[in-house]
């Protein structure tokens, strides 16, 4: 409010679009989930729809619970659409613009939105990752990060590193002109090493925390990871195939690599197919690649089931 009154600009970052992250019946407990993915539907209020952000399935929002027909439906969680609505209620005179994949639908939407913000026609810009980096607006004096913990607790050893990168990038949007900038981060874990390092813009602090753990686990940069990913339409079949493949590779690869046993991917069902994976930890990528090629040629994959190896994957999700 102070920034708007002083004719300064604000950027609010939340890396989650939509209005609410789930629809739940308060009578029977039913939660609306996608049929093709292990993913809860996200509620989009403006279009009155439920959407799966994995496969893109869309359906009209329920007015009554499809399980018990009760009308006591609650929408929980928060997305950029809800942040925008809350701001309009709290600051009725402010000029607010939301930038996410729901609003940037035309070829020129992104350019037009940033042009309006740069020209001073917008007081508060709310957005997802598309507003996090590479933007230079000298009149932005406040950046707010909402729910900074979201990316911290993902099952990926780089989660802390990525959260640090994102926070530093977002923070860099404030105070780029003559006016000083402030950054406010909302978090439930303010003492997490990645957040503490980001608050001090101290990469060395994060490095000193991360590197001993990675060395102990044999993770990059000390060793290489190879992700073996298998997916198909029948979950039991996928489980059997990936277990058999991991046994074959374990017997063939010997001491060249350590195998981390098969597990479901973080979103196990996507677009009607089930996804499982396991990891190889090695410092001999060339030798392992030859063994894997031999194993893949030897292993009989049924039709419509797919397996691939990803050397040094950027994501373990």
């Amino acid at each position: 409010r102070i920034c708007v009154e002083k004719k300064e600009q604000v950027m609010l970052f939340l890396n989650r679009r939509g209005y609410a992250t789930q629809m739940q019946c308060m009578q029977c407990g039913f939660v609306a989930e996608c049929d093709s993915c292990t993913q809860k539907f996200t509620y989009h209020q403006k279009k009155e729809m439920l959407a799966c952000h994995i496969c893109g399935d869309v359906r009209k929002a329920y007015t009554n619970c499809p399980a018990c027909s009760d009308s006591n439906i609650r929408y929980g969680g928060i997305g950029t659409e809800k942040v925008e609505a809350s701001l309009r209620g709290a600051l009725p005179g402010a000029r607010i613009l939301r930038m996410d994949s729901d609003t940037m639908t035309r070829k020129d939407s992104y350019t037009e939105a940033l042009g309006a913000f740069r020209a001073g026609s917008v007081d508060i810009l709310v957005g997802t990752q598309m507003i996090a980096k590479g933007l230079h607006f000298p009149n932005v004096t406040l950046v707010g990060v909402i729910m900074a913990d979201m990316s911290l607790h993902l099952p990926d050893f780089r989660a802390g590193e990525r959260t640090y990168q994102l926070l530093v990038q977002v923070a860099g949007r404030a105070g780029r002109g003559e006016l000083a900038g402030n950054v406010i981060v909302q978090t439930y874990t303010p003492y997490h090493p990645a957040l503490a390092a980001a608050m001090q813009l101290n990469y060395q602090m994060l490095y000193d925390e991360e590197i001993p753990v990675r060395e102990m686990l044999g993770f990059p940069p000390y060793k290489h990871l190879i992700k073996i990913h298998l997916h198909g339409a029948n979950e039991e079949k996928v489980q059997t195939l990936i277990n058999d493949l991991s046994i074959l590779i374990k017997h063939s690869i010997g001491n060249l690599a350590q195998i981390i046993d098969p597990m479901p991917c973080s979103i196990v069902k996507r677009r009607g197919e089930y996804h499982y994976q396991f990891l190889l930890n090695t410092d001999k990528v060339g030798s392992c690649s030859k063994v894997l090629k031999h194993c893949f040629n030897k292993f009989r994959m049924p039709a419509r089931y797919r397996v691939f190896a990803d050397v040094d994957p950027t994501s373990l999700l």
Side-chain angles (χ1 to χ4, degrees):
R1 182 179 287 108
I2 292 171
C3 286
V4 171
E5 289 172 354
K6 291 166 65 176
K7 306 300 182 184
E8 297 170 0
Q9 290 176 299
V10 179
M11 295 176 71
L12 293 180
F13 169 79
L14 172 61
N15 207 19
R16 180 182 283 167
R17 60 192 175 96
Y19 186 87
T21 53
Q22 69 174 35
M23 183 226 95
Q24 184 174 19
C25 173
M26 303 309 293
Q27 180 65 28
C28 71
F30 171 84
V31 176
E33 295 183 346
C34 178
D35 297 330
S36 302
C37 311
T38 49
Q39 182 80 353
K40 295 179 178 64
F41 277 120
T42 298
Y43 174 57
H44 294 254
Q45 186 186 58
K46 187 175 181 179
K47 296 182 179 179
E48 283 296 320
M49 70 177 191
L50 298 170
C52 173
H53 290 173
I54 301 298
C55 70
D57 186 23
V58 173
R59 62 187 60 181
K60 185 173 175 57
Y62 302 113
T63 54
N64 295 83
C65 173
C68 72
S69 300
D70 194 88
S71 60
N72 189 11
I73 287 175
R74 178 185 175 187
Y75 291 99
I78 184 172
T80 48
E81 189 181 0
K82 191 171 186 178
V83 173
E84 180 191 15
S86 299
L87 282 170
R88 293 193 186 282
L91 301 170
R95 297 166 298 175
I96 300 163
L97 178 66
R98 172 164 55 95
M99 287 184 65
D100 54 33
S101 57
D102 295 324
T103 59
M104 302 292 102
T105 54
R106 294 182 295 106
K107 182 179 68 173
D108 300 323
S109 296
Y110 188 76
T111 304
E112 291 172 1
L114 294 182
F117 193 62
R118 183 174 289 106
S121 303
V122 175
D123 300 313
I124 304 172
L125 182 65
V126 180
T128 53
Q129 200 159 338
M130 63 175 64
I131 71 166
K133 48 190 173 183
L135 303 180
H136 176 72
F137 299 113
N139 198 39
V140 173
T141 58
L142 176 63
V143 166
V145 180
I146 302 168
M147 294 176 64
D149 312 85
M150 277 200 312
S151 58
L152 267 183
H153 308 301
L154 299 174
D156 191 322
F157 73 94
R158 292 189 180 93
E161 176 188 357
R162 289 209 175 101
T163 299
Y164 171 88
Q165 291 172 341
L166 196 54
L167 288 177
V168 169
Q169 287 167 349
V170 175
R173 301 315 103 207
R176 298 179 70 87
E178 295 180 0
L179 299 172
N182 293 305
V183 181
I184 298 175
V185 178
Q186 179 197 37
T187 172
Y188 292 101
T189 52
Y191 301 111
H192 189 285
L195 291 179
M199 291 304 95
Q200 298 180 39
L201 302 179
N202 189 336
Y203 171 75
Q204 189 65 45
M205 180 179 173
L206 176 71
Y207 179 89
D208 292 341
E209 180 74 30
E210 284 278 317
I211 214 70
V213 178
R214 298 199 187 182
E215 184 177 16
M216 179 180 66
L217 296 174
F219 279 3
Y222 290 96
K223 288 190 177 182
H224 296 274
L225 289 179
I226 303 175
K227 179 172 71 174
I228 310 298
H229 186 115
L230 195 150
H231 60 95
N234 182 283
E235 186 172 18
E236 289 185 7
K237 185 70 172 175
V238 170
Q239 289 175 331
T240 300
L241 287 169
I242 200 162
N243 285 330
D244 291 345
L245 180 58
S246 69
I247 291 170
L248 173 62
I249 291 174
K250 186 179 293 186
H251 289 162
S252 304
I253 214 155
N255 295 324
L256 291 175
Q258 176 189 359
I259 292 185
I260 301 172
D261 290 336
M263 67 194 82
C265 293
S266 58
I267 301 176
V268 64
K269 188 181 181 184
R270 307 176 209 167
R271 296 178 176 87
E273 292 195 334
Y274 295 89
H275 295 252
Y276 279 70
Q277 65 185 26
F278 63 92
L279 300 174
L280 276 68
N281 187 312
T282 182
D283 53 6
K284 299 179 176 64
V285 172
S287 300
C288 284
S289 297
K290 293 177 182 177
V291 175
L292 289 176
K293 184 176 181 180
H294 170 74
C295 290
F296 282 5
N297 289 333
K298 184 178 179 181
F299 192 74
R300 291 188 177 182
M301 283 290 293
R304 299 180 183 174
Y305 287 78
R306 298 288 182 269
V307 64
F308 65 86
D310 187 356
V311 179
D312 291 325
T314 56
S315 172
L316 298 184
L317 304 178

